[in-house]
């Protein structure tokens, strides 16, 4: 029996190393990685620039704690706020922690405005993490069940429904913020309507709410712009990100601007590891590479190629419902449960994932090239066609 708590149903494969978009298992078999560690390995595996940055840093200093200045942390924060069009940045170690930071920031913002029960609007179908506050914010009962009592101070709203938000605004003077993913990832790759997001921005301004976007999955170039909101016509007050930021070295960021940027003060939040020299060395190498190698543009082009190839290759009578997403965050919804496709894909040397039971989710590395994108699209199309 394994000494691990059985919190994951793992596939029967162990990878020993990787190279670019490929992973190699303990039998020497090579797999095309269409999921990149759940959207984490944006530069693929063993990227020379990340490897060099972390080995060099590990030879000097791994950790000092936030009792002291960390130069690379200041530099990475400056880069991220410049890219995001924001003002300040806090570093944590996971997506859930970045969202906890945003939640605490919003509550404090409320208390500073004399609201004793600050409340955050969250959406049905959302996923924000597994800590108590973030699983409460998550709109999926399966993730919450058994962990009651949940955390107070959240109101759930249906997606893309402005009148529901207006009603909440009318009935709840305690609302201080909204928290939403621009594209719901774990929920099955559902992009929120652009017009909805723009109106949410206006509602936030009109009611002095903070607009907080969870870009843990969509951030760091995956959807074709550095942050997904940059493809739209507004800037949130707070954006959280993680996954692609460290290419596998744990690091997350909560980035804020304007009235949100100076809310958290000394002693009000912290993390022993957050933004340590090793994580920031990785983050800097990743951000520089995404920008210099124009990986946002590549994500957009390769995403379109995968979509077009799927449309071309899928049989007209296959169980496809629709293809959703943006850049290299793609959801292919089928008219049935398709979890077993993950195992058939593995057998054919392809790593994919299924979200919301019926949606194949692709989150390949942003460095994927044309041939590899075609290989991925053909492999996925063959799997879907085989369901007929
Ligand atoms: C949108 C979103 N938010 C938060 C999280 C939680 O991130 P982590 O698992 O790093 O805590 C995830 C993870 O899948 C996510 O997709």
């Amino acid at each position: 029996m394994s000494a691990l708590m059985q919190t994951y149903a793992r596939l029967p494969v162990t990878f020993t190393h990787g190279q670019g978009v490929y992973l190699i298992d303990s039998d020497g078999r090579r797999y095309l990685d269409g999921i990149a560690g759940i959207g984490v390995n944006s530069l693929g595996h063993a990227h020379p620039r990340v490897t060099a940055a972390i080995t060099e840093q590990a030879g000097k200093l791994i950790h000092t704690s936030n009792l002291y200045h960390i130069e690379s942390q200041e530099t990475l924060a400056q880069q991220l706020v410049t890219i995001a069009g924001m003002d300040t940045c806090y570093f944590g170690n996971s997506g859930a922690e970045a969202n906890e930071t945003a939640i605490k920031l919003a509550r404090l913002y409320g208390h500073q405005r004399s609201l004793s029960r600050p409340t955050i609007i969250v959406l049905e179908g959302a996923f924000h993490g597994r800590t108590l506050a973030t699983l409460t914010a998550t709109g999926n009962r399966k993730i919450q069940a058994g962990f009651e009592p949940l955390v107070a101070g959240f109101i759930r709203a249906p997606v893309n429904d402005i009148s529901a938000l207006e009603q909440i605004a009318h009935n709840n003077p305690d609302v201080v913020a909204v928290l939403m993913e621009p594209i719901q990832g774990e929920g099955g790759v559902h992009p929120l309507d652009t017009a909805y997001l723009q109106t949410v921005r206006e509602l936030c301004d009109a009611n002095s709410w903070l607009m907080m976007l969870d870009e843990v999955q969509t951030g760091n170039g995956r959807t074709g712009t550095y942050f997904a909101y940059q493809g739209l016509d507004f800037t949130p007050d707070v954006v959280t990100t993680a996954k692609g930021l460290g290419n596998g070295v744990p690091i997350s960021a909560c980035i804020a601007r304007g009235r949100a940027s100076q809310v958290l003060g000394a002693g009000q939040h912290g993390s022993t590891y957050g933004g340590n020299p090793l994580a920031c060395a990785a983050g800097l190498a990743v951000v520089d590479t995404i920008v210099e190698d124009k990986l946002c543009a590549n994500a957009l082009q390769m995403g379109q190629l995968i979509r077009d190839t799927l449309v071309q290759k899928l049989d007209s009578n296959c169980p496809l419902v629709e293809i959703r997403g943006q850049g290299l965050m793609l959801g292919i919804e089928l008219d049935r449960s398709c979890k077993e496709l993950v195992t058939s894909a593995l057998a054919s040397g392809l790593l994919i994932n299924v979200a919301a039971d019926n949606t194949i989710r692709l989150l390949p590395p942003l460095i994927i090239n044309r041939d590899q994108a075609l290989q991925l699209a053909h492999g996925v199309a063959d799997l879907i066609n085989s369901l007929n």
Side-chain angles (χ1 to χ4, degrees):
M1 208 182 94
S2 168
L4 290 172
M5 290 192 190
Q6 297 301 302
T7 54
Y8 283 93
R10 294 169 203 270
L11 290 162
V13 64
T14 304
F15 300 111
T16 54
H17 56 292
Q19 190 64 57
V21 298
Y22 296 101
L23 276 171
I24 294 96
D25 75 9
S26 45
D27 294 326
R29 216 170 149 232
R30 199 165 81 135
Y31 301 77
L32 176 64
D33 190 355
I35 191 67
I38 324 184
V40 166
N41 302 103
S42 47
L43 306 187
H45 304 280
H47 191 283
R49 217 162 148 180
V50 178
T51 306
I54 61 181
T55 34
E56 193 191 324
Q57 187 58 50
K60 290 196 276 190
L61 261 184
I62 291 178
H63 178 83
T64 55
S65 90
N66 286 299
L67 294 177
Y68 313 103
H69 278 278
I70 300 171
E71 202 180 316
S72 54
Q73 195 185 87
E74 303 268 354
T75 313
L76 182 58
Q78 188 54 54
Q79 290 209 4
L80 286 173
V81 300
T82 305
I83 289 171
M86 298 209 176
D87 299 312
T88 57
C89 178
Y90 167 88
F91 290 109
N93 311 285
S94 67
E97 268 184 72
N99 288 336
E100 285 278 345
T101 309
I103 292 164
K104 283 182 68 176
L105 189 159
R107 284 190 168 195
L108 204 53
Y109 168 77
H111 283 285
Q112 288 168 359
R113 293 167 59 220
S114 304
L115 296 172
S116 58
R117 299 188 60 79
T119 300
I120 299 170
I121 300 174
V122 287
L123 295 184
E124 286 170 5
F127 183 83
H128 297 296
R130 301 278 193 163
T131 61
L132 275 175
T134 59
L135 75 80
T136 303
T138 289
N140 179 344
R141 269 304 295 157
K142 269 196 207 156
I143 285 169
Q144 298 170 338
F147 300 108
E148 298 83 359
L150 300 180
V151 174
F154 293 94
I155 296 184
R156 180 96 33 219
V159 291
N160 294 328
D161 187 342
I162 282 295
S163 57
L165 290 187
E166 285 169 342
Q167 208 170 341
I168 292 171
H170 187 256
N171 296 334
N172 296 276
D174 290 335
V175 172
V176 290
V178 300
L179 174 64
M180 43 188 70
E181 300 152 271
I183 303 175
Q184 295 188 330
E186 302 301 305
V189 192
H190 290 280
L192 297 185
D193 290 346
T194 303
Y196 172 75
L197 282 167
Q198 267 150 358
T199 314
V200 170
R201 175 67 275 179
E202 286 162 23
L203 264 182
C204 287
D205 288 337
N207 292 285
S208 298
W209 298 344
L210 298 179
M211 182 180 193
M212 310 202 296
L213 288 188
D214 176 346
E215 295 229 26
V216 166
Q217 194 163 143
T218 51
N220 306 295
R222 179 148 299 280
T223 69
T225 46
Y226 197 92
F227 291 107
Y229 68 80
Q230 293 172 312
L232 310 168
D233 212 8
F234 63 86
T235 308
D237 300 293
V238 175
V239 63
T240 59
T241 195
K243 291 192 183 281
L245 183 56
N247 210 49
V249 178
I251 181 168
S252 67
C254 175
I255 310 170
R257 84 180 166 104
R259 61 190 169 175
S261 66
Q262 305 297 334
V263 171
L264 286 163
Q268 287 180 311
H269 196 45
S271 154
T272 301
Y273 293 129
N276 83 7
L278 188 76
C280 289
L284 280 170
V286 169
V287 174
D288 285 346
T289 308
I290 290 174
V291 173
E292 288 168 27
D293 293 359
K294 301 191 170 41
L295 293 181
C296 297
N298 194 58
L300 215 50
Q301 283 160 11
M302 293 305 110
Q304 195 57 49
L305 179 64
I306 293 171
R307 283 178 103 112
D308 292 347
T309 311
L310 280 170
V311 169
Q312 236 174 49
K313 285 271 158 198
L314 285 171
D315 294 340
S316 57
N317 61 342
C318 81
L320 176 72
V321 174
E322 65 173 346
I323 303 177
R324 293 185 292 267
Q326 173 84 16
L328 287 173
M329 178 170 182
L330 295 172
I332 305 146
E333 183 178 336
L334 305 186
D335 67 7
R336 61 195 72 174
S337 164
C338 58
K339 276 188 186 148
E340 76 285 354
L341 283 187
V342 173
T343 317
S344 347
L346 190 71
S348 69
L350 209 58
L351 304 178
I352 60 164
N353 170 255
V354 167
D357 197 52
N358 63 357
T359 302
I360 297 172
R361 181 171 49 159
L362 301 179
L363 301 167
L366 310 186
I367 54 158
I368 195 166
N369 67 25
R370 263 190 86 76
D371 286 351
Q372 295 158 346
L374 288 173
Q375 188 191 343
L376 179 60
H378 286 161
V380 171
D382 288 348
L383 284 168
I384 297 174
N385 288 335
S386 75
L387 290 175
N388 278 323

